[in-house]
Amino acid sequence: MRRILLHPVLSLLLGFVCVFYAATPTAQTASPLLNARYPDLVNYFNAFEMIQAAIFEEVVLTSQSAEAAIGKQLLLESLQEFARAKTSHYHSSSNHLAMLGPYRVFESRATPGLIAMIRQQHDTSQANLALANIAVLPSEVVAVLNRGRDFISGLTEIYLNDDILDKHLAVDELLADYLSNDAHSVAALPKSSDLLSKHAYAYAFRVGFPQLSGLTWASQWLQLASLEIMLMASSDRALDVGIATATDIYVEKIARLHNSFMSLPGDIPSMPVIAPNVYSFHPGAAYVIDNLSMLKVVIGDILTHPGVTDHEAELKQMLARFTDKNQYLEDEIDYLTFVLRGGIFNQGGPAFGGMTESERNRSRDSLENPHISRFPMSP
Amino acid sequence: MNKQKLKKILLTNLIAGLSGIAWIPTQAALERIGDFALLDDQGEFHQLSRYQHRKAMAIMSYVQDCESMDEMLQDFKALREQFADQNIAFLLLDPMGLSRAELAGLNTGFPVLQDEGQLIAEKLQLDQAGAVRLLNPARLSLYYRGSSKDVQLPATLSSLLTQTITDTVSGSAPASTHNACTIPFPAKQRHTASPPDYARDVAPVIIENCLECHREGGAGPFALDKYVSLLGWSAMIKEVLLNKRMPPAQVDPHLQQSGNARYLPVAQLQTLVHWIDAGAPRGAVAEDPLEQQASDNLQDDLQRKDTWLLGDPDFIVDVPANRIPASGILDYLYVDIDLPFTEDKWVRAVQYKAGAPAVLHHLMTFVTAPGEDFWGDERTGAQVSRRFLESYAPGRTRATEYPPGTAILIPRGHKLSMQFHYVSNGQEMFDQTQLALYFAEPGDSATTGHKLQERLTQAVSAQFTIPANDPDFQVVAEQVFTEDVVITGVRARMNYRGKKMKFSVEQADGSLRDFFSIPAYNYGWQPHYILDEPLVLAAGRRVQISGAFDNSVSNPANPDPDKVVYSGVESEQEMFTGYLSYHRLMD
C-alpha cells in the first residue's frame, strides 16, 4: 500500500482528488421544492453566490492594483474616523453608504457586469463552486459559507413542504445536523456585535466598496424576505404573490437610474428586522443566518483593508471566532437592540410590500449624498 | 501564487487532461483591462462594457502593410465561422490611423475599430499585427492573449464557452515572436522617455475642457480644480476618457461638427493618459496653474453674476423657483411661462442665467401655442413643427445670437414651455433661472438686406414596440421638406434605452448621405447640436433619421431589460424623435 501511494502518478491524482474535494461544498445544494415552484428565485439565489464570489475577487484585484494607491489612502483616512466612534456604525440610524466609494472607478466599472451576472442563468453546480473558484478564500472559509448556504436551502425546503406538519421540529433537526460539523458551522447564538464593528479592519468593505456592499445586501434581503414570506403566507396564492412582489422589489433595488443605484440597502439585512416571524419561530436558525451575514461582511473587511498582510491567517482567525460556540457571544436583548436600532428602511424594508421612505426622522435623504464624495483628498 | 490558486490550476489541468485536451493553458490571475470604447469604420460605437449580452469580445490587430495580414485575416475569419452563433463579437482594430475611406476599401468583412491614438492597442498590448485578445465584457478583463496563428486559440475559445476558463490565459505562441510586423507606438515612446509635464501639457487641457463643470459650484459631481484633485481622480479620468463617457455629448467626428459637441483631440488624449500612466507627476512647478485658473474663474463668475453679456435685455423671463431636494434622482420638470406680449416678437438672441448652476443639468425651451404644453402634438404626431428657442447646458455663461437674418418668432399670445433636468448634490437648493430675450424688428434686417427668416423646428418621430432584452432594436423616421430649407441644427431625443441616432439626407441620385451622428446616445446629455456648416436641402428631398434602442442588460441606463417597451413620451416609455432646426432658404 505504501509503495502504491508513493507512486508519483497516483500521488498526483490523489492530490487532485483532494483538491477537488476541498473545492466542493460539503453537500450538493438540493432545493427540489424551491426549484419546482420558483425557478427564478433559485436563479437569483445562485446568482447571489456568483456575485458574492465575484465581489470578493474584485476587492482583491482592486487592492492589488498599483493604480488604486490613492483609493487606499482615502479609505484609510475614512477608517481612522470610524475607529474613533464609540458605537457601531452598523445598524445605526445614520447612513454612511455614500455610493461613490474611495476606489471610484475600480468599483463603478465592476457594477454593470455584476448586475448582468444577476440577470443571467446560473445552475446550482456553478453556484456551488463559485466561492472556491475565485481562489481568494481559504478552503475552511469556503466550506463554512457553503454549509451555511445549504442550511438556508434546507430551511426553505422545510417551509415549502406541506407534508412537514411539525416545522419547528424539522428546523430543530436541520439545525442539529448543521451544527454537527463543529468546524464548518457558525454559532446558533447571537454573536457579539464587536465581531462586526470592533475588529482591526472593521468597516473596510462597507466604506471601501459601498456599491458592492449594497449589492450583496440587496441579494441578502431577497433571501431573508423569501423565508419570511414562505413561513407566513396564508395560502398558495398568497405565497406566489408574496414571492413575486419580493422579487419585483429586489429587481428595483438593483436597478440603476441615470447610472446610479437608487434603492440598495445601506445596512446589513438582519432576521429580526426583515424576517421577524422567522426569527420568532426559531431564533437559533435565525442566528445562524445573521452570523453568516456578519461573517461575509468581516471577510470583505479583511480582503479590503490595505493593512492586512496575511489574508489567510486573518480569515482563519476570524472564522474561528464565528465558529466558536462558546465565546464572542452576547445576550439576545443586546443583539436585538443592535440590529433594530437603525430601523427597517436601511436594511431594505419589510419582506411584505417593501418600503419607499425611512421610518426614522433622520432619513437617508438628509444624510446621504450620492453625488459628492465623502472622501475628499487632503491637500 | 497562493495555495488556492495552485489548487485551481491543478484542478483545471486535471479536467483538461481527463477531457482529452492535450494543451494545458497557462493560468494567471484574472487580468483587469478596464472599459474602453472606439468607433468603427462605419461610425458605429463599440464599448466593452456594452457587450454584456455577449459571452466574449475577440479583437485582432489589423496592420494593412503587414505581408502576412491577409493570411491572418483568413485565420480570424475561420475562427469566426467556427464559433458562429456562439454569441461572440469578432472585431478588428486598426492602430495605424487609417482613414474611413482607406478602411472602407479594405473589405475585411469585420467592423474595424479606429484606434487613432493607439491608446486601446496600448491597453491591450496589441504590439504586432494579428495579435488576438479575447475579452470578458462582464468583468472587463482579459481571457486570452495570443495571436491568430496560435493553433490552440480555438481550444481556448471552446474552454471559455464552457466556462472552464475564467482567468487570463496566454497563448502557446508568444505574441512577440509570431511575425515581424511590429506596431510602432511613437507617442507612447515619446511620453515614456519624457512624460507630459503637468503645468505645461496637462493643466491647460483640463482648464480648457473640464474645469467649466468640474469646479466649486459647478455641475460636475466633483471638482478638478487643483493638482491634488486631479491626482485623486486620475484612474477615473483615464477610464472615462478611454470609454468616451467624457467629455460628454460626443458625436462622430468624421461627419459634421458642432460647437455643442465636445471632444479631446487625439494628441491631448494621449497626453492625459500617458501622464496618468506615468503616475501623474506634479513636476517642480511652484504655482499650480489649475488652481490659479479655478480661482480666477470664481472671481469672473462673481463679476458676471449681475451682468448680461449682450447688454440690457429687451425682456427678462423670470422662471418661478424650483426646489431641488438634497438627494435622489429627479425626473424632468415641465414649466409653462405666460408672456405679456401684445404683438408678435422676433427673438434674435437669448441668454440663460442659471439660478443654481450646481444642480441645473440641462434646460430646453420651446415657444408654444396657448393650448399646448412642452410636448404639444408630439405625443401623437410623427411630424411636428414647433419653435425651439434654445437649450442650456452646464458651463460658463454664454449668450446665443442666431445667424444674421434669422430669428425665432413668438406669436402674440404664445408662451414658453420649459423642460428642466436637475441633479441633486447633497444640499436642498432652489433654482430661479432667468432667460434674457433680445428682439429684432421683422422688417429691419440691416445685416443682410433680406426679410428676416423664421427659425423653425421639425420633430420627426416613429411609433414602435421594443422587445425585451433586444440590444439593437432599429428604428427609422423620415421627413420631406416641401420647400428649400437650411438645416441649422439637430437633436436626438430618446429615453433610457436610446442607443444611437444618425441624420442623413437624400442625394440627387436618391442615395443617402450621413451628415450627423450621435453614435453613443446618453439620456443625460441631449444638446441641440448647432451644425458648424448649415445644410442646404432642396424641396422634396428626404431627411432620414435612423437609430436604435438597447433594451438589453448591456445598457447601463436600462431600468429593466425584461420589459417590453412601447413608444410614448413618458419616461417608462420610449421615444424616437429627431429635431431639425431650420429656416427657409433665403433668396
Side-chain angles (χ1 to χ4, degrees), chain B residues 276-298:
Chain B
I276 291 167
D277 287 345
R282 189 180 195 276
V285 60
E287 188 176 325
D288 183 348
L290 185 54
E291 194 166 5
Q292 182 60 50
Q293 185 64 51
S295 172
D296 292 348
N297 287 357
L298 283 176

Side-chain angles (χ1 to χ4, degrees), chain A residues 12-13 16-17 19-20 22-23 44 50 53-55 57-58 61-62 64 67 70-71 74 100-106 108-110 112-117 119-120 126 129 132-140 142 251 255-262 312 316 364-366 368-373 377-379, chain B residues 2-11 13-15 18 29-35 49 52 54 123 137-140 163 166-167 220-222 226 228-229 231-236 238-240 245 276-277 326-332 421 423-427 496 522-524 553 556-562:
Chain A
L12 187 62
L13 276 175
F16 284 142
V17 169
V19 169
F20 187 77
Y44 280 132
M50 304 298 288
I55 284 170
E57 194 174 36
E58 288 293 342
L61 279 169
T62 301
Q64 288 172 347
E67 290 181 327
I70 293 162
L74 295 172
L100 197 56
Y103 286 110
R104 292 160 181 171
V105 73
F106 292 90
S108 60
R109 69 161 57 130
L114 293 169
I115 295 170
M117 202 179 277
R119 294 182 177 281
Q120 288 162 355
Q126 278 178 295
L129 287 169
N133 276 344
I134 56 169
V136 300
L137 300 177
S139 57
E140 297 91 327
V142 174
V251 169
R256 300 195 304 169
L257 199 57
H258 300 296
N259 291 333
S260 297
F261 286 110
M262 287 303 299
E312 187 169 350
K316 285 181 176 175
R364 273 181 87 175
D365 278 355
S366 63
E368 189 190 4
N369 177 359
H371 287 283
I372 293 179
S373 170
M377 289 284 291
S378 305
Chain B
N2 65 29
K3 280 190 275 185
Q4 289 296 311
K5 183 62 72 177
L6 182 62
K7 286 175 184 176
K8 186 180 175 188
I9 292 168
L10 291 173
L11 180 60
N13 286 349
L14 176 64
I15 292 168
L18 293 176
L30 184 144
E31 190 173 321
R32 173 75 68 241
I33 289 296
D35 201 10
S49 64
Q52 307 278 350
R54 299 278 203 155
K123 181 191 252 292
R139 304 296 298 276
L140 305 178
Q163 297 190 332
T166 53
D167 291 352
F222 50 86
K226 50 183 171 295
V228 73
S229 307
L231 177 69
W233 289 100
S234 57
M236 176 74 92
K238 179 180 172 182
E239 182 119 327
V240 299
R245 183 172 172 185
I276 291 167
D277 287 345
S327 68
I329 303 292
L330 309 172
D331 214 341
Y332 287 1
H421 182 200
V423 291
S424 53
N425 77 342
Q427 301 171 49
Y496 302 127
N522 184 332
Y523 177 74
V553 71
N558 190 350
D560 188 352
D562 293 330

Side-chain angles (χ1 to χ4, degrees), chain A residues 169-205:
Chain A
L169 178 63
V171 176
D172 277 345
E173 289 170 353
L174 179 75
L175 184 59
D177 180 57
Y178 171 74
L179 293 171
S180 66
N181 185 335
D182 186 58
H184 291 164
S185 59
V186 296
L189 292 164
K191 277 287 177 186
S192 166
S193 61
D194 286 354
L195 282 183
L196 187 66
S197 311
K198 292 292 181 189
H199 67 90
Y201 315 113
Y203 306 115
F205 179 48

